[in-house]
Amino acid sequence: STAVAGSNPNAASDGPTRLIYTGITNTTRHLRGNWLAYWEHEISRKETDGFTLKQIRLQSWTGHTASVKSLAVLDNENSFISGSKDRSVRLWSLRNTGEGDFSGTAQWVYNGHRKSVFSVGYMAQRGQAVSCDGTIHLWDPFVEKLISAYDGVRGSAYCVMTPLQYSHCIIGGTMEGSMVLIDVRMKNLMDFKGSYGMVGLIRSIAGYEAGQMAAIGHSSGYLSLLDLRTGKIRSGFKAHEGEILNIRSGGGDATTAASAPYFVSTSLDQTASVYYWEDGRLATHLRTPAEPLHCVVPFNDQIITASTNHKISVHTLRKDLTSSNPTNSTVIGSSSTTASMSANNSSLGGVDSTTTSSGSNSTTTTTTTVVNKLRSDIIRGNLIQMEILPLNRLLLMGTDMGTIHLVC
């Protein structure tokens, strides 16, 4: 017999109509719990919407026996790598498993380092990972094999390292103050001077691929801009009164006012400043909690900072090309509802703005800051490393206990 619409489903025991009446028996891949809450939060948002912290923990990973020193996300956002004080680098997979309390283990462990691993990165152009413990290791995370190892120049070990993500080059800084550009295709090392005069040790570096430049932060608070094409220092200035902790590159299309290429630096003097790559000009000072910021993550025209006291600040950069005086706001909150509060409380807080003149017009870069205090049930231990998954707008948080958490 042939099944008709509205008839008993049991009558359609054979043929393609059976698929219509067959119930779903495997529900293991259904979203539930915190993953469902994350999906409900994201489904109504546009791709152009910025990052907001909802304090929803989605997954955790354990395996490191010491503090997590560095995090790097692969370009497909299905995996990430972490370097730890336990001298290991681990490759992890992201899975929407469980209800938010699932704890995953490493997909692979690289144990080729002899010292604490303080920096890791991923070179999307080549599909290769880099890690550094004083010696830079280049390895393939997909075939689990070491490719090359680069020692420091003139017997001086590397103290900082970062890859140019969509390039074939790695930038490193040595203990004696030299900058090294490594082309992994030819294994060439180009040695540059990192600064003029005695400005202290190199503490952090960031690269800007489009302009072939590097920003170098020193222990004295001095900041240098290096032209990677010529090896010459373009400019240098005293950026902070204390030691520079972090420098990160961010921004997007130079023609977009809100996301012109920039880099942000944080210091032990509890300040954070934003500069433009184009000319090294100060864009603005960020309004931050009165504590050092060990974590800084740029995301388009937003900058996400975090302290060991678990205060997460989301700074939104805006440019006002008129000569009028804009009004900015800083919203301070203690829960995940702060993001929605910022829309209704624009008069709270203080004003952060820096004005520079260009002819008869003035350009004002302003920031709006939302501060959240992480709940105690989100992470265990002290937050010391952070990275963003830009496509999914999620945060990876590494702690001094060796655990890593994925948070919306």
Side-chain angles (χ1 to χ4, degrees), residues 26-60:
N26 184 8
T27 61
T28 57
R29 292 192 59 81
H30 285 191
L31 295 177
R32 55 173 61 91
N34 287 359
W35 279 105
L36 181 59
Y38 160 67
W39 179 83
E40 292 173 342
H41 168 63
E42 289 293 313
I43 195 64
S44 61
R45 304 184 67 204
K46 301 178 182 178
E47 292 184 4
T48 55
D49 290 345
F51 174 83
T52 58
L53 182 66
K54 301 298 290 183
Q55 301 212 40
I56 303 174
R57 188 174 69 179
L58 301 176
Q59 192 173 351
S60 301

PDB file of all heavy atoms in Angstrom, residues 26-60:
ATOM      1  N   ASN A  26      19.864   9.314  17.748  1.00  0.00           N
ATOM      2  CA  ASN A  26      21.176   9.720  18.246  1.00  0.00           C
ATOM      3  C   ASN A  26      21.168  11.219  18.545  1.00  0.00           C
ATOM      4  O   ASN A  26      21.169  12.045  17.638  1.00  0.00           O
ATOM      5  CB  ASN A  26      22.256   9.399  17.207  1.00  0.00           C
ATOM      6  CG  ASN A  26      23.654   9.720  17.722  1.00  0.00           C
ATOM      7  OD1 ASN A  26      23.839  10.045  18.887  1.00  0.00           O
ATOM      8  ND2 ASN A  26      24.640   9.623  16.845  1.00  0.00           N
ATOM      9  N   THR A  27      21.131  11.568  19.798  1.00  0.00           N
ATOM     10  CA  THR A  27      21.077  12.975  20.200  1.00  0.00           C
ATOM     11  C   THR A  27      22.379  13.430  20.862  1.00  0.00           C
ATOM     12  O   THR A  27      22.416  14.459  21.524  1.00  0.00           O
ATOM     13  CB  THR A  27      19.912  13.201  21.174  1.00  0.00           C
ATOM     14  OG1 THR A  27      20.127  12.394  22.353  1.00  0.00           O
ATOM     15  CG2 THR A  27      18.589  12.835  20.532  1.00  0.00           C
ATOM     16  N   THR A  28      23.456  12.661  20.687  1.00  0.00           N
ATOM     17  CA  THR A  28      24.709  12.988  21.359  1.00  0.00           C
ATOM     18  C   THR A  28      25.318  14.291  20.842  1.00  0.00           C
ATOM     19  O   THR A  28      26.100  14.924  21.536  1.00  0.00           O
ATOM     20  CB  THR A  28      25.721  11.854  21.175  1.00  0.00           C
ATOM     21  OG1 THR A  28      25.926  11.618  19.767  1.00  0.00           O
ATOM     22  CG2 THR A  28      25.216  10.573  21.836  1.00  0.00           C
ATOM     23  N   ARG A  29      24.977  14.690  19.616  1.00  0.00           N
ATOM     24  CA  ARG A  29      25.548  15.902  19.050  1.00  0.00           C
ATOM     25  C   ARG A  29      24.610  17.098  19.167  1.00  0.00           C
ATOM     26  O   ARG A  29      24.853  18.149  18.585  1.00  0.00           O
ATOM     27  CB  ARG A  29      25.932  15.677  17.582  1.00  0.00           C
ATOM     28  CG  ARG A  29      27.093  14.701  17.405  1.00  0.00           C
ATOM     29  CD  ARG A  29      27.620  14.740  15.978  1.00  0.00           C
ATOM     30  NE  ARG A  29      28.088  16.061  15.593  1.00  0.00           N
ATOM     31  CZ  ARG A  29      29.284  16.556  15.901  1.00  0.00           C
ATOM     32  NH1 ARG A  29      30.116  15.856  16.637  1.00  0.00           N
ATOM     33  NH2 ARG A  29      29.631  17.758  15.489  1.00  0.00           N
ATOM     34  N   HIS A  30      23.522  16.931  19.893  1.00  0.00           N
ATOM     35  CA  HIS A  30      22.628  18.050  20.126  1.00  0.00           C
ATOM     36  C   HIS A  30      23.267  19.031  21.112  1.00  0.00           C
ATOM     37  O   HIS A  30      23.896  18.622  22.094  1.00  0.00           O
ATOM     38  CB  HIS A  30      21.295  17.557  20.693  1.00  0.00           C
ATOM     39  CG  HIS A  30      20.435  16.909  19.645  1.00  0.00           C
ATOM     40  ND1 HIS A  30      19.120  16.585  19.864  1.00  0.00           N
ATOM     41  CD2 HIS A  30      20.706  16.525  18.368  1.00  0.00           C
ATOM     42  CE1 HIS A  30      18.611  16.025  18.773  1.00  0.00           C
ATOM     43  NE2 HIS A  30      19.564  15.974  17.862  1.00  0.00           N
ATOM     44  N   LEU A  31      23.129  20.320  20.859  1.00  0.00           N
ATOM     45  CA  LEU A  31      23.612  21.323  21.794  1.00  0.00           C
ATOM     46  C   LEU A  31      22.765  21.312  23.051  1.00  0.00           C
ATOM     47  O   LEU A  31      21.537  21.208  22.988  1.00  0.00           O
ATOM     48  CB  LEU A  31      23.566  22.712  21.150  1.00  0.00           C
ATOM     49  CG  LEU A  31      24.485  22.943  19.956  1.00  0.00           C
ATOM     50  CD1 LEU A  31      24.262  24.330  19.387  1.00  0.00           C
ATOM     51  CD2 LEU A  31      25.942  22.771  20.341  1.00  0.00           C
ATOM     52  N   ARG A  32      23.426  21.426  24.172  1.00  0.00           N
ATOM     53  CA  ARG A  32      22.716  21.441  25.449  1.00  0.00           C
ATOM     54  C   ARG A  32      23.524  22.245  26.456  1.00  0.00           C
ATOM     55  O   ARG A  32      24.706  22.514  26.250  1.00  0.00           O
ATOM     56  CB  ARG A  32      22.483  20.022  25.969  1.00  0.00           C
ATOM     57  CG  ARG A  32      23.746  19.191  26.088  1.00  0.00           C
ATOM     58  CD  ARG A  32      23.465  17.857  26.775  1.00  0.00           C
ATOM     59  NE  ARG A  32      22.519  17.081  26.014  1.00  0.00           N
ATOM     60  CZ  ARG A  32      22.865  16.209  25.069  1.00  0.00           C
ATOM     61  NH1 ARG A  32      24.147  16.061  24.763  1.00  0.00           N
ATOM     62  NH2 ARG A  32      21.966  15.531  24.416  1.00  0.00           N
ATOM     63  N   GLY A  33      22.863  22.629  27.518  1.00  0.00           N
ATOM     64  CA  GLY A  33      23.539  23.328  28.597  1.00  0.00           C
ATOM     65  C   GLY A  33      24.156  24.642  28.151  1.00  0.00           C
ATOM     66  O   GLY A  33      23.528  25.462  27.475  1.00  0.00           O
ATOM     67  N   ASN A  34      25.409  24.863  28.512  1.00  0.00           N
ATOM     68  CA  ASN A  34      26.099  26.114  28.200  1.00  0.00           C
ATOM     69  C   ASN A  34      26.314  26.300  26.704  1.00  0.00           C
ATOM     70  O   ASN A  34      26.332  27.435  26.207  1.00  0.00           O
ATOM     71  CB  ASN A  34      27.436  26.168  28.934  1.00  0.00           C
ATOM     72  CG  ASN A  34      27.267  26.418  30.420  1.00  0.00           C
ATOM     73  OD1 ASN A  34      26.156  26.563  30.905  1.00  0.00           O
ATOM     74  ND2 ASN A  34      28.368  26.470  31.150  1.00  0.00           N
ATOM     75  N   TRP A  35      26.509  25.200  25.962  1.00  0.00           N
ATOM     76  CA  TRP A  35      26.681  25.309  24.513  1.00  0.00           C
ATOM     77  C   TRP A  35      25.391  25.816  23.867  1.00  0.00           C
ATOM     78  O   TRP A  35      25.436  26.610  22.922  1.00  0.00           O
ATOM     79  CB  TRP A  35      27.078  23.957  23.911  1.00  0.00           C
ATOM     80  CG  TRP A  35      28.540  23.659  24.046  1.00  0.00           C
ATOM     81  CD1 TRP A  35      29.124  22.787  24.915  1.00  0.00           C
ATOM     82  CD2 TRP A  35      29.597  24.244  23.289  1.00  0.00           C
ATOM     83  NE1 TRP A  35      30.482  22.789  24.748  1.00  0.00           N
ATOM     84  CE2 TRP A  35      30.800  23.674  23.751  1.00  0.00           C
ATOM     85  CE3 TRP A  35      29.656  25.184  22.269  1.00  0.00           C
ATOM     86  CZ2 TRP A  35      32.050  24.020  23.231  1.00  0.00           C
ATOM     87  CZ3 TRP A  35      30.899  25.534  21.745  1.00  0.00           C
ATOM     88  CH2 TRP A  35      32.072  24.952  22.223  1.00  0.00           C
ATOM     89  N   LEU A  36      24.264  25.394  24.353  1.00  0.00           N
ATOM     90  CA  LEU A  36      22.990  25.884  23.836  1.00  0.00           C
ATOM     91  C   LEU A  36      22.807  27.360  24.178  1.00  0.00           C
ATOM     92  O   LEU A  36      22.334  28.147  23.347  1.00  0.00           O
ATOM     93  CB  LEU A  36      21.836  25.056  24.398  1.00  0.00           C
ATOM     94  CG  LEU A  36      20.426  25.447  23.928  1.00  0.00           C
ATOM     95  CD1 LEU A  36      20.313  25.340  22.414  1.00  0.00           C
ATOM     96  CD2 LEU A  36      19.381  24.565  24.605  1.00  0.00           C
ATOM     97  N   ALA A  37      23.199  27.748  25.396  1.00  0.00           N
ATOM     98  CA  ALA A  37      23.105  29.158  25.792  1.00  0.00           C
ATOM     99  C   ALA A  37      24.007  30.032  24.921  1.00  0.00           C
ATOM    100  O   ALA A  37      23.632  31.147  24.539  1.00  0.00           O
ATOM    101  CB  ALA A  37      23.473  29.308  27.262  1.00  0.00           C
ATOM    102  N   TYR A  38      25.201  29.527  24.581  1.00  0.00           N
ATOM    103  CA  TYR A  38      26.109  30.265  23.693  1.00  0.00           C
ATOM    104  C   TYR A  38      25.500  30.427  22.306  1.00  0.00           C
ATOM    105  O   TYR A  38      25.547  31.508  21.714  1.00  0.00           O
ATOM    106  CB  TYR A  38      27.450  29.525  23.614  1.00  0.00           C
ATOM    107  CG  TYR A  38      28.282  29.879  22.406  1.00  0.00           C
ATOM    108  CD1 TYR A  38      28.826  31.145  22.249  1.00  0.00           C
ATOM    109  CD2 TYR A  38      28.528  28.930  21.419  1.00  0.00           C
ATOM    110  CE1 TYR A  38      29.583  31.467  21.138  1.00  0.00           C
ATOM    111  CE2 TYR A  38      29.283  29.242  20.304  1.00  0.00           C
ATOM    112  CZ  TYR A  38      29.816  30.510  20.172  1.00  0.00           C
ATOM    113  OH  TYR A  38      30.567  30.822  19.055  1.00  0.00           O
ATOM    114  N   TRP A  39      24.910  29.363  21.784  1.00  0.00           N
ATOM    115  CA  TRP A  39      24.295  29.421  20.452  1.00  0.00           C
ATOM    116  C   TRP A  39      23.132  30.415  20.443  1.00  0.00           C
ATOM    117  O   TRP A  39      22.981  31.194  19.509  1.00  0.00           O
ATOM    118  CB  TRP A  39      23.809  28.033  20.044  1.00  0.00           C
ATOM    119  CG  TRP A  39      23.145  28.018  18.701  1.00  0.00           C
ATOM    120  CD1 TRP A  39      23.741  27.947  17.480  1.00  0.00           C
ATOM    121  CD2 TRP A  39      21.739  28.068  18.452  1.00  0.00           C
ATOM    122  NE1 TRP A  39      22.810  27.957  16.483  1.00  0.00           N
ATOM    123  CE2 TRP A  39      21.566  28.037  17.042  1.00  0.00           C
ATOM    124  CE3 TRP A  39      20.618  28.142  19.265  1.00  0.00           C
ATOM    125  CZ2 TRP A  39      20.306  28.066  16.455  1.00  0.00           C
ATOM    126  CZ3 TRP A  39      19.370  28.185  18.672  1.00  0.00           C
ATOM    127  CH2 TRP A  39      19.217  28.137  17.284  1.00  0.00           C
ATOM    128  N   GLU A  40      22.320  30.394  21.475  1.00  0.00           N
ATOM    129  CA  GLU A  40      21.195  31.334  21.554  1.00  0.00           C
ATOM    130  C   GLU A  40      21.685  32.768  21.639  1.00  0.00           C
ATOM    131  O   GLU A  40      21.039  33.695  21.137  1.00  0.00           O
ATOM    132  CB  GLU A  40      20.314  30.989  22.758  1.00  0.00           C
ATOM    133  CG  GLU A  40      19.569  29.668  22.611  1.00  0.00           C
ATOM    134  CD  GLU A  40      18.841  29.281  23.875  1.00  0.00           C
ATOM    135  OE1 GLU A  40      19.193  29.847  24.949  1.00  0.00           O
ATOM    136  OE2 GLU A  40      17.948  28.411  23.826  1.00  0.00           O
ATOM    137  N   HIS A  41      22.838  32.963  22.283  1.00  0.00           N
ATOM    138  CA  HIS A  41      23.408  34.308  22.375  1.00  0.00           C
ATOM    139  C   HIS A  41      23.943  34.776  21.023  1.00  0.00           C
ATOM    140  O   HIS A  41      23.771  35.938  20.645  1.00  0.00           O
ATOM    141  CB  HIS A  41      24.529  34.305  23.418  1.00  0.00           C
ATOM    142  CG  HIS A  41      25.379  35.533  23.405  1.00  0.00           C
ATOM    143  ND1 HIS A  41      24.895  36.790  23.681  1.00  0.00           N
ATOM    144  CD2 HIS A  41      26.701  35.691  23.138  1.00  0.00           C
ATOM    145  CE1 HIS A  41      25.875  37.668  23.595  1.00  0.00           C
ATOM    146  NE2 HIS A  41      26.974  37.040  23.261  1.00  0.00           N
ATOM    147  N   GLU A  42      24.575  33.874  20.269  1.00  0.00           N
ATOM    148  CA  GLU A  42      25.233  34.252  19.023  1.00  0.00           C
ATOM    149  C   GLU A  42      24.279  34.307  17.832  1.00  0.00           C
ATOM    150  O   GLU A  42      24.538  35.036  16.872  1.00  0.00           O
ATOM    151  CB  GLU A  42      26.364  33.259  18.705  1.00  0.00           C
ATOM    152  CG  GLU A  42      27.567  33.395  19.626  1.00  0.00           C
ATOM    153  CD  GLU A  42      28.303  34.704  19.425  1.00  0.00           C
ATOM    154  OE1 GLU A  42      28.571  35.061  18.268  1.00  0.00           O
ATOM    155  OE2 GLU A  42      28.593  35.378  20.430  1.00  0.00           O
ATOM    156  N   ILE A  43      23.199  33.566  17.846  1.00  0.00           N
ATOM    157  CA  ILE A  43      22.343  33.454  16.668  1.00  0.00           C
ATOM    158  C   ILE A  43      21.703  34.785  16.303  1.00  0.00           C
ATOM    159  O   ILE A  43      21.402  35.045  15.130  1.00  0.00           O
ATOM    160  CB  ILE A  43      21.246  32.372  16.892  1.00  0.00           C
ATOM    161  CG1 ILE A  43      20.603  31.981  15.565  1.00  0.00           C
ATOM    162  CG2 ILE A  43      20.240  32.843  17.915  1.00  0.00           C
ATOM    163  CD1 ILE A  43      21.516  31.328  14.576  1.00  0.00           C
ATOM    164  N   SER A  44      21.487  35.646  17.265  1.00  0.00           N
ATOM    165  CA  SER A  44      20.826  36.921  16.999  1.00  0.00           C
ATOM    166  C   SER A  44      21.818  38.047  16.718  1.00  0.00           C
ATOM    167  O   SER A  44      21.401  39.183  16.479  1.00  0.00           O
ATOM    168  CB  SER A  44      19.951  37.312  18.195  1.00  0.00           C
ATOM    169  OG  SER A  44      20.735  37.456  19.364  1.00  0.00           O
ATOM    170  N   ARG A  45      23.108  37.747  16.714  1.00  0.00           N
ATOM    171  CA  ARG A  45      24.118  38.786  16.540  1.00  0.00           C
ATOM    172  C   ARG A  45      24.616  38.826  15.102  1.00  0.00           C
ATOM    173  O   ARG A  45      24.636  37.812  14.401  1.00  0.00           O
ATOM    174  CB  ARG A  45      25.294  38.556  17.490  1.00  0.00           C
ATOM    175  CG  ARG A  45      24.898  38.460  18.943  1.00  0.00           C
ATOM    176  CD  ARG A  45      26.108  38.324  19.825  1.00  0.00           C
ATOM    177  NE  ARG A  45      26.904  39.547  19.801  1.00  0.00           N
ATOM    178  CZ  ARG A  45      28.203  39.580  20.091  1.00  0.00           C
ATOM    179  NH1 ARG A  45      28.838  38.469  20.393  1.00  0.00           N
ATOM    180  NH2 ARG A  45      28.860  40.716  20.069  1.00  0.00           N
ATOM    181  N   LYS A  46      25.038  40.001  14.673  1.00  0.00           N
ATOM    182  CA  LYS A  46      25.595  40.178  13.341  1.00  0.00           C
ATOM    183  C   LYS A  46      27.100  39.887  13.362  1.00  0.00           C
ATOM    184  O   LYS A  46      27.742  39.934  14.402  1.00  0.00           O
ATOM    185  CB  LYS A  46      25.350  41.604  12.850  1.00  0.00           C
ATOM    186  CG  LYS A  46      23.887  42.007  12.776  1.00  0.00           C
ATOM    187  CD  LYS A  46      23.765  43.457  12.337  1.00  0.00           C
ATOM    188  CE  LYS A  46      22.310  43.897  12.302  1.00  0.00           C
ATOM    189  NZ  LYS A  46      22.174  45.333  11.919  1.00  0.00           N
ATOM    190  N   GLU A  47      27.639  39.634  12.159  1.00  0.00           N
ATOM    191  CA  GLU A  47      29.067  39.390  12.076  1.00  0.00           C
ATOM    192  C   GLU A  47      29.873  40.630  12.436  1.00  0.00           C
ATOM    193  O   GLU A  47      31.019  40.540  12.869  1.00  0.00           O
ATOM    194  CB  GLU A  47      29.433  38.925  10.665  1.00  0.00           C
ATOM    195  CG  GLU A  47      28.892  37.548  10.308  1.00  0.00           C
ATOM    196  CD  GLU A  47      29.367  37.089   8.952  1.00  0.00           C
ATOM    197  OE1 GLU A  47      30.181  37.826   8.341  1.00  0.00           O
ATOM    198  OE2 GLU A  47      28.954  36.017   8.510  1.00  0.00           O
ATOM    199  N   THR A  48      29.279  41.795  12.253  1.00  0.00           N
ATOM    200  CA  THR A  48      29.978  43.041  12.549  1.00  0.00           C
ATOM    201  C   THR A  48      29.899  43.435  14.017  1.00  0.00           C
ATOM    202  O   THR A  48      30.560  44.392  14.429  1.00  0.00           O
ATOM    203  CB  THR A  48      29.391  44.182  11.693  1.00  0.00           C
ATOM    204  OG1 THR A  48      27.974  44.266  11.916  1.00  0.00           O
ATOM    205  CG2 THR A  48      29.650  43.932  10.212  1.00  0.00           C
ATOM    206  N   ASP A  49      29.094  42.716  14.796  1.00  0.00           N
ATOM    207  CA  ASP A  49      28.998  43.031  16.217  1.00  0.00           C
ATOM    208  C   ASP A  49      30.315  42.701  16.911  1.00  0.00           C
ATOM    209  O   ASP A  49      31.012  41.753  16.556  1.00  0.00           O
ATOM    210  CB  ASP A  49      27.861  42.248  16.872  1.00  0.00           C
ATOM    211  CG  ASP A  49      26.499  42.730  16.413  1.00  0.00           C
ATOM    212  OD1 ASP A  49      26.437  43.826  15.826  1.00  0.00           O
ATOM    213  OD2 ASP A  49      25.510  42.004  16.621  1.00  0.00           O
ATOM    214  N   GLY A  50      30.636  43.470  17.907  1.00  0.00           N
ATOM    215  CA  GLY A  50      31.875  43.258  18.635  1.00  0.00           C
ATOM    216  C   GLY A  50      31.768  42.157  19.672  1.00  0.00           C
ATOM    217  O   GLY A  50      30.754  41.463  19.794  1.00  0.00           O
ATOM    218  N   PHE A  51      32.826  42.019  20.441  1.00  0.00           N
ATOM    219  CA  PHE A  51      32.886  40.997  21.474  1.00  0.00           C
ATOM    220  C   PHE A  51      32.224  41.507  22.752  1.00  0.00           C
ATOM    221  O   PHE A  51      32.441  42.643  23.171  1.00  0.00           O
ATOM    222  CB  PHE A  51      34.336  40.630  21.770  1.00  0.00           C
ATOM    223  CG  PHE A  51      34.498  39.678  22.914  1.00  0.00           C
ATOM    224  CD1 PHE A  51      34.361  38.313  22.720  1.00  0.00           C
ATOM    225  CD2 PHE A  51      34.767  40.143  24.196  1.00  0.00           C
ATOM    226  CE1 PHE A  51      34.500  37.434  23.778  1.00  0.00           C
ATOM    227  CE2 PHE A  51      34.913  39.276  25.255  1.00  0.00           C
ATOM    228  CZ  PHE A  51      34.777  37.913  25.039  1.00  0.00           C
ATOM    229  N   THR A  52      31.412  40.669  23.359  1.00  0.00           N
ATOM    230  CA  THR A  52      30.853  40.929  24.687  1.00  0.00           C
ATOM    231  C   THR A  52      31.047  39.686  25.541  1.00  0.00           C
ATOM    232  O   THR A  52      30.886  38.566  25.062  1.00  0.00           O
ATOM    233  CB  THR A  52      29.351  41.272  24.627  1.00  0.00           C
ATOM    234  OG1 THR A  52      28.638  40.200  24.013  1.00  0.00           O
ATOM    235  CG2 THR A  52      29.128  42.558  23.850  1.00  0.00           C
ATOM    236  N   LEU A  53      31.403  39.889  26.780  1.00  0.00           N
ATOM    237  CA  LEU A  53      31.656  38.776  27.688  1.00  0.00           C
ATOM    238  C   LEU A  53      30.377  38.394  28.419  1.00  0.00           C
ATOM    239  O   LEU A  53      29.826  39.188  29.175  1.00  0.00           O
ATOM    240  CB  LEU A  53      32.748  39.157  28.697  1.00  0.00           C
ATOM    241  CG  LEU A  53      33.160  38.067  29.682  1.00  0.00           C
ATOM    242  CD1 LEU A  53      33.826  36.909  28.951  1.00  0.00           C
ATOM    243  CD2 LEU A  53      34.111  38.641  30.733  1.00  0.00           C
ATOM    244  N   LYS A  54      29.906  37.171  28.185  1.00  0.00           N
ATOM    245  CA  LYS A  54      28.688  36.676  28.837  1.00  0.00           C
ATOM    246  C   LYS A  54      28.993  35.770  30.032  1.00  0.00           C
ATOM    247  O   LYS A  54      28.094  35.346  30.736  1.00  0.00           O
ATOM    248  CB  LYS A  54      27.829  35.908  27.827  1.00  0.00           C
ATOM    249  CG  LYS A  54      27.394  36.725  26.617  1.00  0.00           C
ATOM    250  CD  LYS A  54      26.526  37.892  27.011  1.00  0.00           C
ATOM    251  CE  LYS A  54      25.159  37.440  27.495  1.00  0.00           C
ATOM    252  NZ  LYS A  54      24.280  38.593  27.804  1.00  0.00           N
ATOM    253  N   GLN A  55      30.278  35.427  30.221  1.00  0.00           N
ATOM    254  CA  GLN A  55      30.705  34.556  31.318  1.00  0.00           C
ATOM    255  C   GLN A  55      30.012  33.192  31.262  1.00  0.00           C
ATOM    256  O   GLN A  55      29.444  32.725  32.256  1.00  0.00           O
ATOM    257  CB  GLN A  55      30.478  35.245  32.664  1.00  0.00           C
ATOM    258  CG  GLN A  55      31.220  36.566  32.806  1.00  0.00           C
ATOM    259  CD  GLN A  55      31.640  36.849  34.224  1.00  0.00           C
ATOM    260  OE1 GLN A  55      32.078  35.952  34.938  1.00  0.00           O
ATOM    261  NE2 GLN A  55      31.536  38.103  34.645  1.00  0.00           N
ATOM    262  N   ILE A  56      30.057  32.569  30.096  1.00  0.00           N
ATOM    263  CA  ILE A  56      29.546  31.207  29.911  1.00  0.00           C
ATOM    264  C   ILE A  56      30.735  30.297  29.623  1.00  0.00           C
ATOM    265  O   ILE A  56      31.387  30.445  28.594  1.00  0.00           O
ATOM    266  CB  ILE A  56      28.533  31.130  28.753  1.00  0.00           C
ATOM    267  CG1 ILE A  56      27.368  32.098  28.989  1.00  0.00           C
ATOM    268  CG2 ILE A  56      28.019  29.708  28.569  1.00  0.00           C
ATOM    269  CD1 ILE A  56      26.410  32.184  27.817  1.00  0.00           C
ATOM    270  N   ARG A  57      31.055  29.394  30.521  1.00  0.00           N
ATOM    271  CA  ARG A  57      32.172  28.473  30.302  1.00  0.00           C
ATOM    272  C   ARG A  57      31.693  27.304  29.460  1.00  0.00           C
ATOM    273  O   ARG A  57      30.696  26.637  29.783  1.00  0.00           O
ATOM    274  CB  ARG A  57      32.747  27.974  31.627  1.00  0.00           C
ATOM    275  CG  ARG A  57      34.031  27.179  31.436  1.00  0.00           C
ATOM    276  CD  ARG A  57      34.666  26.808  32.746  1.00  0.00           C
ATOM    277  NE  ARG A  57      33.895  25.823  33.492  1.00  0.00           N
ATOM    278  CZ  ARG A  57      34.254  25.330  34.666  1.00  0.00           C
ATOM    279  NH1 ARG A  57      35.355  25.770  35.247  1.00  0.00           N
ATOM    280  NH2 ARG A  57      33.503  24.452  35.285  1.00  0.00           N
ATOM    281  N   LEU A  58      32.427  27.034  28.376  1.00  0.00           N
ATOM    282  CA  LEU A  58      32.012  26.011  27.425  1.00  0.00           C
ATOM    283  C   LEU A  58      32.816  24.719  27.537  1.00  0.00           C
ATOM    284  O   LEU A  58      32.276  23.638  27.304  1.00  0.00           O
ATOM    285  CB  LEU A  58      32.118  26.553  25.996  1.00  0.00           C
ATOM    286  CG  LEU A  58      31.284  27.805  25.698  1.00  0.00           C
ATOM    287  CD1 LEU A  58      31.552  28.282  24.284  1.00  0.00           C
ATOM    288  CD2 LEU A  58      29.802  27.522  25.903  1.00  0.00           C
ATOM    289  N   GLN A  59      34.087  24.830  27.854  1.00  0.00           N
ATOM    290  CA  GLN A  59      34.931  23.644  27.889  1.00  0.00           C
ATOM    291  C   GLN A  59      36.212  23.956  28.636  1.00  0.00           C
ATOM    292  O   GLN A  59      36.616  25.119  28.758  1.00  0.00           O
ATOM    293  CB  GLN A  59      35.261  23.175  26.469  1.00  0.00           C
ATOM    294  CG  GLN A  59      35.902  21.793  26.377  1.00  0.00           C
ATOM    295  CD  GLN A  59      36.050  21.325  24.932  1.00  0.00           C
ATOM    296  OE1 GLN A  59      35.532  21.945  24.020  1.00  0.00           O
ATOM    297  NE2 GLN A  59      36.760  20.231  24.730  1.00  0.00           N
ATOM    298  N   SER A  60      36.866  22.915  29.145  1.00  0.00           N
ATOM    299  CA  SER A  60      38.152  23.057  29.827  1.00  0.00           C
ATOM    300  C   SER A  60      39.103  21.979  29.335  1.00  0.00           C
ATOM    301  O   SER A  60      38.674  20.945  28.810  1.00  0.00           O
ATOM    302  CB  SER A  60      37.993  22.961  31.351  1.00  0.00           C
ATOM    303  OG  SER A  60      37.120  23.967  31.831  1.00  0.00           O
TER     304      SER A  60
END
